[in-house]
Amino acid sequence: MNKNQKIIIYGGGAALLCLVALIVVLIITNAKRTEEVNAAREETENLRLANDRLLLTNEFNQLNADFNQYEDQQRYLKNDSLVQKYNEARLKVEGLLTELDQEKKSNAANRKRIKDLEAEIATLKGIVKHYLEEIKRLGEENEGLKKEIEAVTRHNEQLASNLSATTSQNEQLSQTVKLAKKLNITGVSLQAYNKKGKKEKNITKARQLGVSFIVSPNNTASAGMKDFYIRIVSPEGSLLGNAGSFSLDGSTVQCTAHRQIEYANEEVSVSVYWDVNTTLTPGEYTVEVFADGYRLAAKHFSMKK
């Protein structure tokens, strides 16, 4: 082998070694670049996934807050079907969010979960929208009914007030008419008589007491037979005599003496007598006169010894 051949062989070997070394360097460099690109891509994907998850969580929380704002108005709903549907969907989404945070899955699996969540969120939005519209409608309907009830109540109160006023006026008119028919008496007197039938000033010697009065004319009063009841109360507070009883304001009242006369709407003098059956004492005697369920007079007389 001559010198030139050796040069060619050694030169070719060196060139081959350089080429191999270059290829190895290129392979290593390319592998590092691929690894760096993949790492950057994975980091970008992770950031994108985290951002999507954050946005989805915020959207869910906002939707949940909007719903909770109106939860106290559930009383407007005639049934709780909407609330039940909402709660079921909300629990499902909450479970998916928890699962997404706890489990370590591939980005593809996480993206699928996020898509599922987005679908659930969309469902929730539709339910909540319908729910709020129903609340608004029922609230407006309830407000309208409330105003209508208030108007009817005011009307009924006005009617009740008018009825009360009319009833009061009728009662006053009835009482006025009733009082107009009441008999009026004047000149009520109490006189003691002795055993000879003559007037007696000494009450201890009285054998008879007489109550006299005048019935005034009254065309409003009904004419006919009238019963007059006399009550004489002693200074000791005891009712003298026992001539039966009469009715007064639903009660039974005892009387001292009683007399019936015919009344023709004209003035008439009436005297009622009671025969003394006990010892009378000096002092103040009370005389009451009743007729037609009224007390016509009450007067005090001082009788001396």
Side-chain angles (χ1 to χ4, degrees):
M1 181 181 297
N2 56 34
K3 185 177 180 180
N4 290 333
Q5 289 178 334
K6 291 181 176 179
I7 293 173
I8 293 171
I9 293 172
Y10 289 134
L16 179 62
L17 289 175
C18 290
L19 179 61
V20 171
L22 179 61
I23 292 173
V24 170
V25 170
L26 289 176
I27 292 173
I28 294 173
T29 302
N30 185 62
K32 288 184 177 180
R33 287 181 180 178
T34 301
E35 183 178 352
E36 290 176 355
V37 169
N38 290 336
R41 184 179 300 168
E42 183 176 356
E43 183 178 358
T44 301
E45 185 67 20
N46 288 336
L47 290 175
R48 184 181 302 168
L49 181 64
N51 183 66
D52 290 345
R53 183 187 302 168
L54 178 61
L55 292 176
L56 189 64
T57 302
N58 290 338
E59 187 175 0
F60 176 81
N61 291 336
Q62 182 60 49
L63 180 64
N64 196 36
D66 292 342
F67 180 83
N68 290 334
Q69 181 180 357
Y70 295 93
E71 276 191 335
D72 61 341
Q73 301 184 39
Q74 291 182 22
R75 62 183 183 274
Y76 289 133
L77 295 176
K78 298 179 181 178
N79 57 69
D80 59 354
S81 60
L82 287 176
V83 181
Q84 182 178 354
K85 290 179 180 178
Y86 172 85
N87 289 332
E88 290 175 353
R90 180 171 61 177
L91 290 174
K92 187 173 181 180
V93 171
E94 288 176 348
L96 291 174
L97 285 173
T98 301
E99 181 182 344
L100 192 62
D101 289 336
Q102 293 177 348
E103 295 187 14
K104 302 300 182 180
K105 297 184 178 181
S106 65
N107 288 339
N110 286 337
R111 295 294 295 177
K112 183 178 184 306
R113 280 300 189 190
I114 287 179
K115 292 299 181 181
D116 292 339
L117 289 175
E118 289 176 350
E120 294 294 341
I121 289 288
T123 301
L124 277 176
K125 285 182 177 180
I127 292 175
V128 172
K129 180 180 179 181
H130 180 59
Y131 177 83
L132 299 182
E133 288 176 351
E134 184 72 2
I135 286 179
K136 181 179 179 182
R137 184 186 67 80
L138 293 175
E140 292 174 350
E141 180 179 311
N142 184 68
E143 188 66 25
L145 290 175
K146 181 180 178 181
K147 291 181 179 180
E148 184 177 345
I149 291 174
E150 289 176 351
V152 172
T153 300
R154 287 194 299 269
H155 181 65
N156 289 340
E157 289 176 351
Q158 184 62 44
L159 290 178
S161 177
N162 294 340
L163 178 61
S164 177
T166 302
T167 301
S168 178
Q169 292 175 357
N170 290 340
E171 289 177 351
Q172 292 178 1
L173 180 60
S174 177
Q175 185 66 19
T176 300
V177 173
K178 189 175 180 181
L179 291 175
K181 293 181 179 181
K182 176 184 174 183
L183 295 176
N184 295 314
I185 63 174
T186 60
V188 179
S189 63
L190 175 64
Q191 180 63 54
Y193 299 91
N194 58 27
K195 60 183 179 179
K196 294 181 180 180
K198 294 183 178 180
K199 293 180 179 181
E200 178 61 58
K201 293 183 180 181
N202 187 345
I203 190 63
T204 61
K205 297 180 180 181
R207 293 296 178 267
Q208 190 179 59
L209 295 180
V211 176
S212 299
F213 53 87
I214 297 173
V215 182
S216 303
N218 187 350
N219 292 328
T220 306
S222 57
M225 301 305 295
K226 299 292 182 181
D227 291 296
F228 289 88
Y229 299 92
I230 308 299
R231 282 172 54 89
I232 303 175
V233 180
S234 69
E236 293 77 21
S238 300
L239 176 68
L240 301 179
N242 184 11
S245 63
F246 62 96
S247 179
L248 181 68
D249 295 332
S251 301
T252 300
V253 181
Q254 301 295 320
C255 66
T256 302
H258 161 252
R259 182 181 176 186
Q260 187 179 70
I261 67 168
E262 184 174 1
Y263 180 67
N265 303 106
E266 297 177 351
E267 183 176 285
V268 58
S269 297
V270 180
S271 294
V272 184
Y273 299 93
W274 172 67
D275 293 332
V276 177
N277 56 13
T278 185
T279 301
L280 299 179
T281 59
E284 188 175 80
Y285 287 75
T286 301
V287 174
E288 295 178 298
V289 182
F290 298 84
D292 292 340
Y294 292 99
R295 186 172 73 167
L296 305 182
K299 195 171 182 180
H300 304 288
F301 298 91
S302 179
M303 307 301 285
K304 299 180 180 179
K305 182 176 179 180

